[in-house]
Amino acid sequence: MTDDSRPGRPAPVRSAPVLVPMPAERPYTYQVPDGMDVAPGSIVRVPLGPREVAGIVWDSATDPVDPKKLKPISEVFDCPPIDQETRRFVDWIASYTLSAPGMVARMLLRAPAAFDPEPWTEGLRRTDAVPDRMTSARARVLETADDGLAWTRSGLAHAAGVSSTVVDGLRDQGVFETVMIPPRPVVAVPDTGYARSELSADQQAVADALRAAVDNGGPGVTLIDGVTGSGKTEVYFEAVAAALDRNRQALILLPEIALTHAFLERFQDRFGAKPAEWHSDLPPRMRERVWRQVAEGSVRVVAGARSALFLPFQELGLIVVDEEHDPAYKQEDRVPYNARDMAVVRGHIGGFPVVLASATPSIESRVNADQGRYARAVLSARFAEASLPDLRTIDLRRAPPARGGFLSPALLTEMRNTLARQEQSLLFLNRRGYAPLTLCRVCGHRFQCPDCSSWLVEHRFRGQLVCHHCGHHEKRPDACPECGTFDHLVACGPGVERVAEEVVGHFPDARTIVLSSDLLGGVKRLRLELEAIANGEADIVIGTQLVAKGHNFPNMTLVGIVDADLGLANGDPRAAERTFQLLSQVTGRAGRTGKKSLGLLQTYQPDHPVMRAIVSGDAEAFYQREIAERERAGLPPFGRLAGIIVSAATRAEAEGHAWALRRAAPAAADIQVLGPAEAPIALLAGRHRFRLLVHGERRSDMQGFIRALLAAGPKVRGSVRVSVDIDPQSFL
DNA sequence: AGCACGCCGACT
DNA sequence: GTCGGCGTGCTC
């Protein structure tokens, strides 16, 4: 804020830097009209080009701007300002991810209607007056409203079981007076003493350590490493309680899909109230109320997906990142960040502890713990041991499925037994659709995506061929487009739809359900289906990785992994880690009730370290091996080598861009070329057909690359994306 | 990111 | 003759 008024001259224009939700490198300067007060953090409405936008008054000065260009701030919203910690957090993320601060600020301003206070609503309260005549309807209303509290007109009518005209009549006679009711809280205040969990000695020790960390107000990260059923949730609930006891807000981050009814209930069982929810499926009105009430401090605990990190907390005192290894914490588009790492940063800035929890921690968190940057708390499996599933591999070389099928006789036998016991089976296959490749048996033609050259996946339910990279889809033809032969197209390999077909063939009377992310009806439908399964409304579930998370299925005693090798073959240095995490989670779906339960992994590589780790339960050996393997390969345990990945619609196109870049920007020498099948889907989703993905072990390396790239011209500028796989060590 | 301006292909 | 595609440039 400049206010260098000098006597005797016309008052100079007061101005303020404002961060607008746009990819500008610095805040813009706006005129502050006379009589208006703004401070850093104030949320304001400002003119920007042809429209008006919400922006945040910022701390840093801007470059001098021609005073004639300055436009005045239109309005200061009646809203608690964004606190200084959050503003530093925005600057930090912008600098770290090499994105524009305005774009980071945009993530804070995602609830436009919440900048104005929630309106008070009209309510009715009983007066001493008596009605002229008494009727049974009127009597019911009076009885209902006898509590002396304010009721809404329709709420009262509904509660009394009468039409609202009855209430209107009583109001007109003065039996009710109109009062204004403040906005209703979205959730009740949690009570830390509501129902303390019974903790084992192990759990209690970890809970005590977390409570001490919260009480001492010191920053620091604790990795809770505990197998499914070891009580991680109960333990970190005690950390949440500690933060609440100290009058601080708490944030629990969960992968989107894990935010289920079941989790909220579990929280309610401990605290007597639900946490506020925050995820992409929240209705707009609720979204605004949650945002506003977080800003005002009336919401004390939020359970949310990664974007909850950008809620306007005023007194945040703890962040818990559950399932910290989950790739869903990564945002790849726009501002690329990993919410788990940004949570660590937020804790550091705010001077409060952060808890990471997982049954299968990421390698980078394990290394950070091993090297002493994070504290590590291992929860033993003692609680869970009794109900741990019996895990075995099925060697597909020795016991292959019947011709044309994908389920081995051993798995089918166990499914039959499970059905006979009226328990549930889960078949896991991480591939949507019917078949991943379609070819012509006559001429060998393979169906390829015209836009990005990867194989088209047949979706038989929809009668379409779909590209899983760019979303291209076409009707499945009856004749080969190459040789014109009819009825000789053959589907190669299994997808969940095809496995479902096989299951129905074997068990026609079983209730079978397929769950994958292309399920019609979106997240809401999915949550309903998951709850239906938990309630026993299906016998056999066939699902992609979304069945791995979030929900407990109390009657699910058999888990079959249709293709445990899937995902090990690609060149990703994280392939083994990811597969281990995924298979651990899926097999963990079996047996959480103390019933005898079984997990069967169909594989061609029963001796692969991932299979051995899953079957033996020896995760420690697996982690040490993975860490050593990366060191041996010259890869850092975190992220990938610094460098640039050029990705385009086709590999040839990418090679062309890479060639041009090497010439234009010799400093950016370490250029890798990826075809569409190897590059993240997000890269190909945009309008531009190529992207540069800058991966870095060190941020300084990437800055060098990016400077060189920007020098290569504006066409490149629009295509640069910075990877989220940046060295997490530099956070601390 | 939005939005306007501006230049080349198929159509009420 | 126009409608409309997306490439380019600008926003205090």
Side-chain angles (χ1 to χ4, degrees):
Chain A
M1 260 76 345
T2 55
D3 192 359
D4 47 345
S5 48
R6 272 168 250 149
R9 300 206 186 159
V13 174
R14 290 191 306 151
S15 66
V18 175
L19 209 48
V20 285
M22 185 198 84
E25 285 304 317
R26 338 196 87 252
Y28 280 179
T29 307
Y30 282 87
Q31 215 186 98
V32 182
D34 287 341
M36 181 185 280
D37 280 318
V38 294
S42 299
I43 301 180
V44 292
R45 188 159 52 84
V46 290
L48 180 68
R51 62 193 198 282
E52 292 214 310
V53 296
I56 308 170
V57 176
W58 218 242
D59 312 69
S60 54
T62 56
D63 295 328
V65 190
D66 178 3
K68 284 196 286 293
K69 279 176 83 175
L70 296 193
K71 292 181 183 174
I73 293 172
S74 313
E75 177 192 2
V76 184
F77 287 105
D78 181 6
C79 181
I82 300 297
D83 75 349
Q84 198 229 346
E85 289 175 8
T86 308
R87 300 200 303 276
R88 279 183 57 206
F89 185 46
V90 169
D91 279 335
W92 196 96
I93 292 183
S95 147
Y96 191 78
T97 63
L98 302 160
S99 28
M103 291 306 285
V104 183
R106 191 173 171 269
M107 302 195 290
L108 278 166
L109 301 171
R110 285 273 172 81
F115 310 147
D116 289 315
E118 282 184 76
W120 289 47
T121 48
E122 245 179 40
L124 297 172
R125 192 168 50 200
R126 180 84 167 90
T127 63
D128 294 333
V130 279
D132 53 357
R133 279 183 300 119
M134 188 57 80
T135 63
S136 66
R138 287 182 170 188
R140 284 203 298 280
V141 171
L142 293 183
E143 196 184 325
T144 308
D146 209 29
D147 54 10
L149 302 174
W151 288 74
T152 63
R153 179 172 156 273
S154 59
L156 179 54
H158 190 260
V162 302
S163 134
S164 54
T165 54
V166 180
V167 179
D168 290 346
L170 290 168
R171 182 196 54 201
D172 294 345
Q173 289 187 19
V175 178
F176 285 100
E177 59 182 347
T178 303
V179 290
M180 295 312 283
I181 310 177
R184 199 162 38 91
V186 287
V187 283
V189 174
D191 171 5
T192 57
Y194 181 77
R196 289 183 194 284
S197 317
E198 297 254 329
L199 299 181
S200 69
D202 272 20
Q203 290 176 311
Q204 192 62 54
V206 179
D208 289 345
L210 294 178
R211 184 172 275 274
V214 172
D215 286 347
N216 299 334
V221 182
T222 304
L223 173 65
I224 305 182
D225 179 353
V227 298
T228 312
S230 62
K232 291 186 292 294
T233 314
E234 286 74 13
V235 169
Y236 73 61
F237 277 175
E238 293 317 298
V240 170
L244 294 174
D245 285 341
R246 294 191 68 83
N247 264 326
R248 306 289 292 269
Q249 290 167 297
L251 168 63
I252 302 170
L253 290 179
L254 297 161
E256 179 112 357
I257 196 72
L259 263 167
T260 53
H261 192 63
F263 178 83
L264 303 175
E265 295 262 295
R266 212 162 159 195
F267 186 92
Q268 183 165 29
D269 289 345
R270 168 64 183 84
F271 292 100
K274 289 198 167 105
E277 278 179 78
W278 184 265
H279 52 81
S280 62
D281 213 35
L282 215 57
R285 185 78 191 88
M286 187 49 119
R287 208 179 173 73
E288 280 145 13
R289 293 175 63 204
V290 172
W291 195 97
R292 182 77 196 189
Q293 293 184 19
V294 169
E296 287 172 347
S298 51
V299 162
R300 306 309 295 170
V301 182
V302 176
R306 61 173 188 243
S307 58
L309 212 42
F310 298 97
L311 283 167
F313 294 99
Q314 304 291 326
E315 40 199 359
L316 192 55
L318 175 75
I319 304 177
V320 175
V321 186
D322 202 352
E323 311 286 2
E324 66 87 24
H325 63 277
D326 198 296
Y329 284 122
K330 281 185 177 189
Q331 170 150 55
E332 306 259 7
D333 59 343
R334 300 192 177 94
V335 178
Y337 68 92
N338 185 323
R340 177 243 291 152
D341 298 334
M342 295 309 109
V344 172
V345 173
R346 184 67 182 82
H348 198 70
I349 291 174
F352 59 77
V354 173
V355 175
L356 311 180
S358 176
T360 52
S362 59
I363 300 280
E364 57 269 29
S365 292
R366 275 298 306 265
V367 170
N368 275 327
D370 288 350
Q371 299 185 351
R373 279 183 295 270
Y374 298 170
R376 179 164 173 231
V378 180
L379 288 179
S380 76
R382 201 160 4 124
F383 262 11
E385 247 161 37
S387 59
L388 275 182
D390 178 15
L391 296 173
R392 283 182 240 146
T393 52
I394 295 176
D395 188 342
L396 289 174
R397 295 168 305 186
R398 292 189 186 175
R403 202 174 152 70
F406 299 93
L407 305 174
S408 67
L411 179 52
L412 287 168
T413 301
E414 290 301 337
M415 289 173 72
R416 188 165 295 115
N417 294 343
T418 307
L419 265 176
R421 289 195 305 268
Q422 300 193 350
E423 293 168 350
Q424 292 171 305
S425 303
L426 171 68
L427 295 184
F428 171 77
L429 175 63
N430 203 10
R431 198 187 275 131
R432 290 150 50 209
Y434 185 85
L437 170 67
T438 303
L439 53 81
C440 171
R441 216 177 331 189
V442 176
C443 72
H445 172 76
R446 297 167 168 214
F447 284 85
Q448 244 182 352
C449 175
D451 295 332
C452 68
S453 79
S454 49
W455 303 137
L456 292 177
V457 179
E458 179 177 353
H459 283 241
R460 198 159 277 193
F461 292 174
R462 282 153 59 186
Q464 283 184 321
L465 298 173
V466 181
C467 173
H468 283 186
H469 281 284
C470 67
H472 166 89
H473 54 91
E474 54 190 68
K475 194 179 171 299
R476 182 187 182 278
D478 298 324
C480 173
E482 193 80 23
C483 66
T485 317
F486 275 85
D487 298 331
H488 278 270
L489 299 179
V490 55
C492 298
V496 280
E497 290 180 8
R498 194 170 193 180
V499 170
E501 187 181 270
E502 186 175 350
V503 165
V504 170
H506 286 287
F507 309 105
D509 298 328
R511 295 167 298 169
T512 301
I513 187 169
V514 178
L515 283 186
S516 73
S517 57
D518 49 354
L519 184 79
L520 277 101
V523 185
K524 196 174 286 176
R525 165 96 186 276
L526 183 63
R527 293 214 177 100
L528 289 173
E529 297 280 13
L530 288 169
E531 266 151 44
I533 294 165
N535 293 332
E537 292 168 30
D539 300 310
I540 302 171
V541 179
I542 299 128
T544 59
Q545 61 174 325
L546 52 82
V547 299
K549 296 169 197 167
H551 236 94
N552 290 330
F553 305 116
N555 200 32
M556 194 160 273
T557 55
L558 175 66
V559 170
I561 312 290
V562 177
D563 183 358
D565 306 331
L566 186 70
L568 284 175
N570 67 30
D572 187 341
R574 290 178 210 265
E577 178 192 357
R578 285 272 161 78
T579 304
F580 172 72
Q581 288 162 345
L582 194 55
L583 297 186
S584 298
Q585 277 196 330
V586 178
T587 53
R589 296 294 101 194
R592 296 200 56 186
T593 48
K595 284 183 191 166
K596 188 170 165 296
S597 61
L598 181 62
L600 295 175
L601 293 82
Q602 298 195 136
T603 174
Y604 288 100
Q605 311 170 62
D607 294 325
H608 192 285
V610 168
M611 306 309 155
R612 291 219 302 266
I614 298 275
V615 169
S616 69
D618 190 355
E620 190 60 38
F622 174 74
Y623 275 102
Q624 293 315 324
R625 194 197 144 93
E626 268 300 290
I627 291 168
E629 183 67 21
R630 289 192 198 182
E631 278 169 5
R632 198 188 55 75
L635 290 164
F638 349 85
R640 302 180 191 180
L641 292 173
I644 295 167
I645 291 171
V646 180
S647 156
T650 65
R651 188 171 251 284
E653 200 182 332
E655 297 279 4
H657 290 307
W659 181 82
L661 273 170
R662 286 192 187 101
R663 289 187 51 146
D670 183 5
I671 293 178
Q672 263 182 285
V673 177
L674 293 185
E678 303 136 298
I681 295 167
L683 294 183
L684 292 166
R687 277 207 331 219
H688 294 281
R689 300 232 305 173
F690 89 103
R691 285 280 189 272
L692 304 171
L693 180 68
V694 180
H695 272 279
E697 185 192 353
R698 271 199 302 273
R699 197 175 143 256
S700 54
D701 293 341
M702 302 201 308
Q703 283 178 315
F705 284 131
I706 290 188
R707 274 193 215 100
L709 286 169
L710 296 186
K715 193 161 181 86
V716 169
R717 178 186 287 263
S719 301
V720 175
R721 288 292 178 273
V722 179
S723 162
V724 292
D725 286 336
I726 319 172
D727 170 19
Q729 287 183 53
S730 55
F731 297 147
L732 298 180

